[in-house]
Amino acid sequence: MTQSRVTNIPLFLLFQCQGAFLSSLGLDDPATIPTSSLLLQYSSFFAAGGTNAISSVDLSSAYNGVSGFNVTAVGLLTFVSNWAGPIYWTSATNLLLLRARARSDATAKAKATETGAESELGYRTRGLFAQHVANLSLFATCSVSFIMAACTALRTHLFIWTVFSPKYLYCMAWNIAQHLVVNILLAGGLYATAA
Amino acid sequence: MLVLLQLLIALTATRLVRGWNQTGQKHAGEPDIVKSFIVTAPSLLWTLVGMTYLVVGSQIHRRLVSMPSGVSFLVTAFLVLSAFAFKLAFTHEDSPELAVGVLEQANALLPEISLINRARLVFSGLVATAIYAVGASVGNRNKSHQVGKQSILPRVETVSRLFFSVVMVHVIF
């Protein structure tokens, strides 16, 4: 929220409403959480003012706390300020996944207690995050491959990069930064470190 | 019944989210919620912003279970206040027509720190709390693996701690 424009901050209240409802549904089938996550990430990106045009990249928060020329810091702040919605939904999805895992652990434990096969160790459901990432990656892979195919097939066209460079740049930002770094590395790290 | 209410709220929220900013080439410049209702009524804007910060602050406070309640309240209050102060000063510089009335006075009351330093204060506070949270969560996880038998009571605690390390990301931006 520090990186968002003031007029976009109430959006986070609305995201909380959406997230609370999703959480109350008790989702744990492996396709619903990633699909909801993707849909909400994209919708929040566009709701906060992002478009598919490079001109709508918001630089107003790119220099918060930066006093000189600093490519890394400014780049990072620009990304965080434009992808604030998707980053929010990545961590909200993480919470959903953690709750699903806790529920699944509790079910496994209850079943084991019933059958009398109580074990000393706690129960830990594995593979939930991997399934989630697999679904997200399926979407990312399909979209990136089609973009790559289009760019390759039209590479000798006169206007290819006039038309395709915004698409290509956004594709890089969404898939390398948002998908690989935020969705997989950061979310995976936080999921793994959660008790 | 509660689920129905939550569903209605979520659907309304989704409709509001979709209409918040008008984007896209075809309808560029057409009225949207921000242009029609938020910018024209700065008091509404700042009420909503204040509510958002309070909600986020209460979530952080609720999940900072590994320190005594008073300390966590102070930490949360510091985070929320510094972030809000930064937003206020930034809006005052960037778009003064939005920071009018009560907020001008509030801005004048707060200590005179430059924008850059306010931002750095906010970021360092967030990073410090995040590192503490992740560390506490990892520490708790390691502990609970060793005492596997008594996994009923700590389960309530661990559930809260599960979430805490993640909720910090919410505020980072």
Side-chain angles (χ1 to χ4, degrees):
Chain A
M1 291 185 330
T2 309
Q3 286 298 103
S4 308
R5 277 174 287 178
V6 192
T7 49
N8 281 341
I9 291 185
L11 269 179
F12 289 97
L13 265 183
L14 297 171
F15 294 159
Q16 304 268 23
C17 298
Q18 293 177 306
F21 172 67
L22 264 185
S23 180
S24 73
L25 289 175
L27 298 165
D28 44 8
D29 79 280
T32 317
I33 297 184
T35 316
S36 316
S37 171
L38 274 172
L39 289 171
L40 289 163
Q41 283 183 26
Y42 276 87
S43 75
S44 64
F45 176 77
F46 291 116
T51 68
N52 282 319
I54 296 286
S55 54
S56 67
V57 171
D58 175 33
L59 292 172
S60 60
S61 306
Y63 288 87
N64 284 343
V66 178
S67 58
F69 183 75
N70 191 339
V71 178
T72 334
V74 171
L76 187 66
L77 289 172
T78 313
F79 174 73
V80 171
S81 75
N82 284 289
W83 266 259
I87 295 177
Y88 175 91
W89 279 112
T90 308
S91 60
T93 315
N94 234 351
L95 290 178
L96 285 178
L97 286 172
L98 286 170
R99 284 201 187 136
R101 181 175 77 173
R103 269 197 303 274
S104 154
D105 284 353
T107 323
K109 190 174 184 64
K111 233 188 272 185
T113 322
E114 263 177 32
T115 62
E118 174 105 40
S119 142
E120 288 229 353
L121 302 166
Y123 287 86
R124 175 67 77 223
T125 317
R126 298 200 174 281
L128 205 58
F129 190 74
Q131 279 179 327
H132 171 76
V133 165
N135 274 307
L136 289 180
S137 301
L138 177 66
F139 177 82
T141 316
C142 288
S143 59
V144 172
S145 59
F146 277 115
I147 295 175
M148 279 166 44
C151 285
T152 312
L154 290 166
R155 67 188 178 284
T156 54
H157 193 282
L158 190 57
F159 309 138
I160 173 68
W161 292 119
T162 320
V163 173
F164 262 100
S165 61
K167 183 62 183 165
Y168 190 76
L169 290 170
Y170 271 109
C171 169
M172 291 298 112
W174 271 108
N175 291 296
I176 296 182
Q178 172 64 21
H179 182 68
L180 284 181
V181 175
V182 176
N183 260 332
I184 299 186
L185 285 179
L186 272 182
L190 285 174
Y191 183 85
T193 60
Chain B
M1 194 50 220
L2 182 65
V3 176
L4 189 61
L5 187 63
Q6 274 183 322
L7 171 67
L8 285 175
I9 295 177
L11 286 176
T12 317
T14 309
R15 180 60 189 92
L16 290 173
V17 164
R18 278 182 54 201
W20 198 259
N21 272 307
Q22 189 67 266
T23 60
Q25 312 300 98
K26 188 169 172 191
H27 301 282
E30 282 187 12
D32 54 35
I33 296 179
V34 168
K35 269 190 270 210
S36 313
F37 300 110
I38 306 289
V39 175
T40 51
S43 49
L44 174 65
L45 168 66
W46 288 101
T47 318
L48 289 172
V49 170
M51 270 170 57
T52 315
Y53 272 110
L54 282 176
V55 165
V56 174
S58 76
Q59 284 192 328
I60 299 178
H61 175 64
R62 198 156 46 101
R63 285 156 185 177
L64 263 173
V65 289
S66 42
M67 51 170 78
S69 171
V71 177
S72 95
F73 181 77
L74 284 175
V75 168
T76 316
F78 170 75
L79 284 176
V80 168
L81 278 175
S82 60
F84 190 79
F86 169 72
K87 246 331 146 198
L88 199 52
F90 188 86
T91 316
H92 181 73
E93 294 289 334
D94 193 36
S95 32
E97 74 276 5
L98 284 178
V100 291
V102 163
L103 296 137
E104 292 253 34
Q105 300 155 14
N107 198 23
L109 278 177
L110 293 162
E112 266 302 310
I113 318 179
S114 77
L115 266 181
I116 288 187
N117 289 328
R118 280 186 215 225
R120 286 178 182 165
L121 197 62
V122 176
F123 289 146
S124 45
L126 286 171
V127 167
T129 323
I131 292 179
Y132 171 81
V134 175
S137 181
V138 171
N140 182 58
R141 182 188 64 160
N142 289 335
K143 213 162 35 128
S144 74
H145 274 182
Q146 292 161 15
V147 286
K149 223 170 190 170
Q150 41 167 116
S151 41
I152 301 296
L153 171 61
R155 192 177 159 268
V156 175
E157 276 192 31
T158 32
V159 165
S160 317
R161 280 176 223 208
L162 282 182
F163 307 153
F164 172 63
S165 60
V166 180
V167 79
M168 278 312 298
V169 184
H170 283 224
V171 188
I172 285 186
F173 40 78

